[in-house]
C-alpha cells in the first residue's frame, strides 16, 4: 500500500506548498489534503478569489516532486452547500484527488442524535444523492466515515448507507481510532457488504477519547486489523490521520515526529504484505 498522510499534521492554514515539500522530504508517498484546515483565515488562498491558481500551482508542485494528492477531507458535512464546501470538489479535481471524505450528519436540529441505523441512513441518503452530481462532474468519490455520535459510531450504519446510495461515486472510509473509542474492533469489517475505499489510520486508548495518535501509541491491535483488512480484500492506500501529536510538537522537532510516523506506517505495510 502507498503511504499517505493528512496535511493536518501542520497547523490550520499552514502554507500548503511548504507542507508538501516537508512531507516529500520525509518520505511519504502521497498526500491527503485537509480542506477543513484551509478555511480558518480569510487570506488563506483556498478561500480567496485566487483559489484556482493556488490549486493549479499545488498540482504542478506535486507533479514535479512526484508526491500526488490522492485523498482529501472536506470542510463541512453532508448537509453543507456553501461555496467553500463545493470548492472542495472543484479543487479536488484540479489536484487529481480521487477520494473526498465528507462526514455524515449525525445530529438532528434539536441536538439529539440519530440513534437507529434506519433514520441515520434515510437522512444521509437524502443528503448524499444531490452531491453525486458534483462527484461525477469533478470525478471524485465521496466517502462517508464512521464517527463518534449516535448511529454514526457503527461501521454497519455507514455500510448500510453506502448500499442505499448505491453509486460508484459513493463509498466509505473506516476510521480505526473512532471505532476503538467504542470498543469496536476490526472484526466488524468482516460483517460489512461494502469494502472501504479508504482508511483513516490513527490510534488511541479507547476510553481516553479520539486522540489521533501514531499507530502503536494506543491500544489498537494492529496485527488483527491488518489481518482483517487482508481478509476483506482492501485495495486502497494506507492513509494516516495521526496528527494530534504533531500539532502539539514544536515545529523544529516536527520532522523527527513525522519520520517516526512514517516508520510506523512502513512497519504496518510490511506486516500487511507478509500476511
Amino acid at each position: 500500500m502507498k503511504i499517505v498522510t493528512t496535511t493536518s499534521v501542520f497547523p490550520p492554514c499552514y502554507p500548503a506548498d511548504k507542507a508538501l515539500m516537508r512531507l516529500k522530504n520525509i518520505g511519504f508517498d502521497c498526500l491527503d489534503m485537509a480542506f477543513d484546515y484551509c478555511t480558518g483565515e480569510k487570506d488563506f488562498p483556498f478561500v480567496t478569489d485566487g483559489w484556482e491558481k493556488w490549486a493549479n500551482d499545488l498540482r504542478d508542485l506535486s507533479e514535479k516532486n512526484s508526491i500526488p494528492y490522492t485523498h482529501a477531507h472536506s470542510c463541512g458535512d453532508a448537509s453543507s452547500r456553501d461555496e467553500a464546501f463545493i470548492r472542495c470538489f472543484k479543487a479536488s479535481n484540479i489536484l487529481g484527488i480521487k477520494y473526498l471524505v465528507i462526514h455524515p450528519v449525525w445530529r438532528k436540529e434539536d441536538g439529539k442524535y440519530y440513534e437507529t441505523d434506519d433514520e441515520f441512513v434515510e437522512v444521509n441518503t437524502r443528503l448524499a444523492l444531490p452531491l453525486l452530481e458534483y462527484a461525477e462532474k469533478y470525478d471524485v468519490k465521496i466517502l462517508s466515515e464512521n464517527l463518534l455520535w449516535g448511529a454514526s459510531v457503527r461501521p454497519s450504519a455507514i455500510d448500510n448507507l453506502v448500499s442505499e446510495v448505491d453509486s460508484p461515486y459513493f463509498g466509505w472510509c473506516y476510521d480505526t481510532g473512532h471505532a476503538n473509542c467504542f470498543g469496536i474492533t476490526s472484526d466488524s469489517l468482516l460483517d460489512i457488504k461494502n469494502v472501504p475505499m479508504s482508511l483513516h489510520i490513527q490510534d488511541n486508548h479507547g476510553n481516553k477519547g479520539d486522540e489521533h495518535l501514531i499507530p502503536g501509541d494506543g491500544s489498537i491491535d494492529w496485527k488483527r486489523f491488518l489481518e482483517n483488512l487482508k481478509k476483506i480484500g482492501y485495495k486502497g492506500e494506507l492513509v494516516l490521520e495521526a496528527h494530534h501529536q504533531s500539532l502539539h510538537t514544536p515545529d523544529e522537532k516536527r520532522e523527527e515526529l513525522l519520520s517516526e510516523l512514517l516508520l510506523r506506517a512502513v512497519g504496518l505495510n510490511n506486516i500487511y504484505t507478509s500476511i
Side-chain angles (χ1 to χ4, degrees):
M1 293 183 285
K2 290 185 178 180
I3 298 174
V4 186
T5 181
T6 174
T7 56
S8 62
V9 292
F10 296 102
C13 297
Y14 186 84
D17 55 345
K18 293 182 179 180
L20 182 151
M21 291 308 303
R22 291 177 72 175
L23 294 168
K24 161 69 178 178
N25 291 334
I26 290 168
F28 290 98
D29 296 321
C30 309
L31 300 177
D32 177 355
M33 171 59 78
F35 287 124
D36 51 332
Y37 273 43
C38 294
T39 58
E41 296 179 11
K42 64 179 182 180
D43 295 329
F44 190 79
F46 178 71
V47 295
T48 68
D49 291 340
W51 74 268
E52 287 186 84
K53 182 180 185 305
W54 169 81
N56 278 292
D57 287 347
L58 276 181
R59 174 68 179 263
D60 291 346
L61 185 66
S62 71
E63 289 180 346
K64 178 180 178 181
N65 288 278
S66 300
I67 182 165
Y69 292 94
T70 56
H71 294 69
H73 200 301
S74 73
C75 56
D77 61 24
S79 67
S80 302
R81 297 294 186 273
D82 59 25
E83 175 54 32
F85 177 76
I86 301 304
R87 190 169 293 175
C88 293
F89 287 92
K90 298 176 181 178
S92 292
N93 179 262
I94 294 172
L95 291 168
I97 291 165
K98 295 302 181 185
Y99 301 98
L100 177 64
V101 170
I102 299 176
H103 283 176
V105 171
W106 45 269
R107 182 169 54 188
K108 306 174 187 180
E109 290 184 2
D110 62 6
K112 295 180 180 179
Y113 299 161
Y114 292 109
E115 296 288 359
T116 69
D117 283 18
D118 286 348
E119 60 179 350
F120 174 83
V121 169
E122 188 279 323
V123 167
N124 281 285
T125 299
R126 175 164 43 83
L127 292 170
L129 291 177
L131 295 179
L132 296 178
E133 176 184 350
Y134 297 106
E136 294 181 28
K137 180 177 181 179
Y138 296 108
D139 192 25
V140 58
K141 291 179 172 62
I142 297 169
L143 303 185
S144 194
E145 176 184 4
N146 55 303
L147 294 177
L148 298 165
W149 309 274
S152 78
V153 309
R154 295 187 292 273
S156 62
I158 312 299
D159 183 42
N160 288 336
L161 171 61
V162 174
S163 293
E164 190 67 22
V165 174
D166 191 23
S167 168
Y169 285 92
F170 192 88
W172 74 292
C173 168
Y174 177 72
D175 190 301
T176 59
H178 291 170
N180 196 54
C181 285
F182 298 92
I184 299 172
T185 73
S186 60
D187 290 353
S188 62
L189 291 172
L190 302 179
D191 298 322
I192 52 91
K193 301 177 289 296
N194 302 282
V195 176
M197 292 184 181
S198 185
L199 306 167
H200 278 171
I201 299 294
Q202 52 129 335
D203 211 340
N204 60 49
H205 294 91
N207 60 354
K208 293 185 179 180
D210 192 24
E211 299 171 280
H212 286 266
L213 301 176
I214 291 174
D217 283 1
S219 63
I220 292 176
D221 185 338
W222 289 104
K223 186 173 187 296
R224 182 178 180 180
F225 164 71
L226 293 167
E227 288 172 346
N228 286 331
L229 207 60
K230 190 76 121 180
K231 287 178 183 177
I232 64 173
Y234 177 72
K235 302 296 184 183
E237 297 172 330
L238 197 159
V239 185
L240 298 157
E241 200 185 40
H243 58 288
H244 284 189
Q245 288 158 294
S246 180
L247 292 177
H248 291 95
T249 296
D251 192 61
E252 64 272 14
K253 295 183 178 180
R254 193 166 276 133
E255 262 78 6
E256 180 181 351
L257 180 75
L258 294 176
S259 294
E260 179 62 24
L261 172 61
L262 177 61
L263 184 64
R264 301 275 184 94
V266 169
L268 295 180
N269 209 7
N270 289 341
I271 294 172
Y272 185 77
T273 302
S274 67
I275 295 172

